[in-house]
Amino acid sequence: MTNGAAAPQQIHPLKAGLEDVIVSTSEICFIDGHKGRLLYRGYDVDDLVEHSTFEEVVYLLWHGRLPSRKELDVHVKALASTANRRLPSKVLSMLKLFPKKTTPMEILRTGVSALSAFDPDSNDNSREATLRKALRLTAQMPTLVAAWERIRKGKAPVSPNPRLNLAGNFLYMLTGKKPTPLAAKTFDVALILHADHEFNASTFAARVTAGTLSDLHSAIVSGIGTLKGPLHGGANEQVMLMVEKIKDPAKAEAWIRKLLAERGRVMGFGHRVYRVADPRAKHLRRLASELGEQVGNTSYVKILDTIASVMSSEKHMFANVDLYSGAAYAAMGISTDQFTPIFALSRVTGWAAHVLEQHGNNRLIRPRSEYTGPTDAKYVPLSER
Ligand code: CMC
């Protein structure tokens, strides 16, 4: 260039919503959207549901391989220790200051940000420190969510029980009672199924934050804020609100056909990547159904099954992870607005794996926009406008 102008940049065509755009390589999670397969570090999620535990899956996501017995014991103990699960007393006091109407997702977002101030590694972004912070946050977040549930209902928070795994302890801290084996198992499976999902919106947000060399807590706060929306993790809550509106399984078909005729969006269906059924949904349906039978409420799953059948025949659209999870949580007596925070209790582990991967081979994530605004606007002084 002789006139000093920059060489034209090669700009790739716009893809609305970054659909099918590959933005990075990753070794953490693989989705085959046509075959309906989901792999964590190469392991099929169906196998992990059958043979593994949430704690083991967390190790797999963070370290890239399954642990030995000894490694798993150390990891499980660290995740369960009261020192890691307990909230700093000032954070507990802070929770008591919020208006009772504050949603659990707002509390989670604010609470995680506050926990950063108390974390001994807050300013250290080394891999070792980020792993320590990830472990503490994974252990603390259930305590935070359960504590808010108790506080907003005027009850005292329940201290964590180090003899219970993460799933069982969360349910224990919510209610003060040890969960049934089926409830604890169902919750553990739900945690496995929500742990990671490639470059979904919240993981991408967490990676964008980590890509500026910001810290783990900041990336997780970005993830939580992004998960909250109804097109992403917030869908599980919306599904239950829909089920509560329908109430009667006999009315489900007419209700959903009316919604489709009005071109409404049915929560818990559709996916950016899956073109067939989401492989996670079948596990959650089975567990929601078993739990529903145990507690004598089969109507939620019946309503959802009817909706799923209409969506499949009319729209060729299938259940995603958010369709049946809420029915399982509701059968455990969990409040509807806790469903999305529960998603986050699991996904924090995937976000952390992605932050570690991003920091391990970082390049700032900074895309372009196609500018469609004016280019020759002339400034008009305030007095002349
Ligand atoms: N109900 C009815 N129609 C739908 C739905 C739905 N759930 N999802 C997509 N469509 C239709 C949409 O109206 C559009 O039709 P048309 O081309 O005639 O306008 C077409 O399908 C494409 O929709 P899109 O919004 O461009 O597709 P997307 O890839 O951007 O959306 C999605 C993916 C998940 C946001 C969307 O399917 C949706 O809104 N689903 C409901 C919310 C939900 O369940 N979210 C959870 C997603 S999975 C787990 C998670 O991330 O938490």
Side-chain angles (χ1 to χ4, degrees), residues 36-73:
R37 286 191 81 206
L38 168 61
L39 313 181
Y40 296 164
R41 301 280 191 186
Y43 294 91
D44 196 306
V45 81
D46 289 346
D47 283 340
L48 295 171
V49 162
E50 196 179 334
H51 302 294
S52 190
T53 59
F54 178 60
E55 280 80 355
E56 187 179 40
V57 166
V58 174
Y59 189 100
L60 174 67
L61 288 172
W62 291 352
H63 299 280
R65 61 177 175 79
L66 290 171
S68 66
R69 161 59 58 201
K70 196 167 160 225
E71 286 166 334
L72 183 60
D73 287 347

Side-chain angles (χ1 to χ4, degrees), residues 230-233 235 263-272 311 315 317 320-322 343:
L231 295 188
H232 190 7
R263 299 188 63 80
R265 196 159 281 239
V266 189
M267 294 294 146
F269 289 89
H271 201 274
R272 180 59 73 71
M311 286 300 281
K315 300 275 290 182
M317 222 169 247
N320 60 43
V321 71
D322 291 318
F343 192 149

Side-chain angles (χ1 to χ4, degrees), residues 52-262:
S52 190
T53 59
F54 178 60
E55 280 80 355
E56 187 179 40
V57 166
V58 174
Y59 189 100
L60 174 67
L61 288 172
W62 291 352
H63 299 280
R65 61 177 175 79
L66 290 171
S68 66
R69 161 59 58 201
K70 196 167 160 225
E71 286 166 334
L72 183 60
D73 287 347
V74 171
H75 175 71
V76 166
K77 215 170 158 195
L79 275 172
S81 80
T82 304
N84 285 328
R85 280 180 174 167
R86 180 176 51 211
L87 297 180
S89 58
K90 286 185 176 160
V91 171
L92 257 182
S93 307
M94 178 189 86
L95 290 184
K96 293 176 185 156
L97 301 176
F98 284 96
K100 296 277 195 297
K101 66 169 183 45
T102 312
T103 65
M105 208 54 185
E106 289 172 302
I107 291 290
L108 186 62
R109 190 186 56 207
T110 306
V112 167
S113 196
L115 284 169
S116 155
F118 296 89
D119 196 290
D121 289 309
S122 61
N123 291 322
D124 187 346
N125 274 356
S126 65
R127 180 176 165 81
E128 293 68 32
T130 300
L131 272 169
R132 286 194 294 273
K133 287 187 278 191
L135 191 123
R136 276 192 288 272
L137 255 188
T138 304
Q140 287 165 328
M141 279 171 53
T143 317
L144 181 64
V145 172
W148 178 244
E149 184 65 13
R150 308 274 306 175
I151 290 169
R152 71 171 171 168
K153 287 184 173 156
K155 296 180 183 167
V158 174
S159 302
N161 179 342
R163 286 184 303 282
L164 297 176
N165 67 4
L166 194 140
N169 177 57
F170 173 68
L171 296 173
Y172 165 70
M173 290 188 298
L174 265 189
T175 61
K177 286 184 230 134
K178 275 200 189 158
T180 64
L182 181 60
K185 177 68 191 162
T186 299
F187 205 84
D188 192 65
V189 168
L191 292 175
I192 292 175
L193 293 171
H194 287 84
D196 198 46
H197 212 229
E198 203 222 31
F199 269 51
N200 61 91
S202 57
T203 301
F204 184 54
R207 284 192 79 130
V208 170
T209 303
T212 68
L213 296 184
S214 188
D215 63 288
L216 181 81
H217 284 78
S218 300
I220 302 302
V221 172
S222 297
I224 293 170
T226 311
L227 185 73
K228 184 170 176 282
L231 295 188
H232 190 7
N236 57 11
E237 190 178 327
Q238 296 302 318
V239 168
M240 189 45 60
L241 297 176
M242 171 176 76
V243 167
E244 278 160 4
K245 257 189 234 158
I246 297 173
K247 275 198 192 83
D248 179 357
K251 296 193 175 138
E253 179 164 353
W255 198 95
I256 210 67
R257 286 191 186 280
K258 182 167 178 286
L259 182 61
L260 288 181
E262 290 161 356

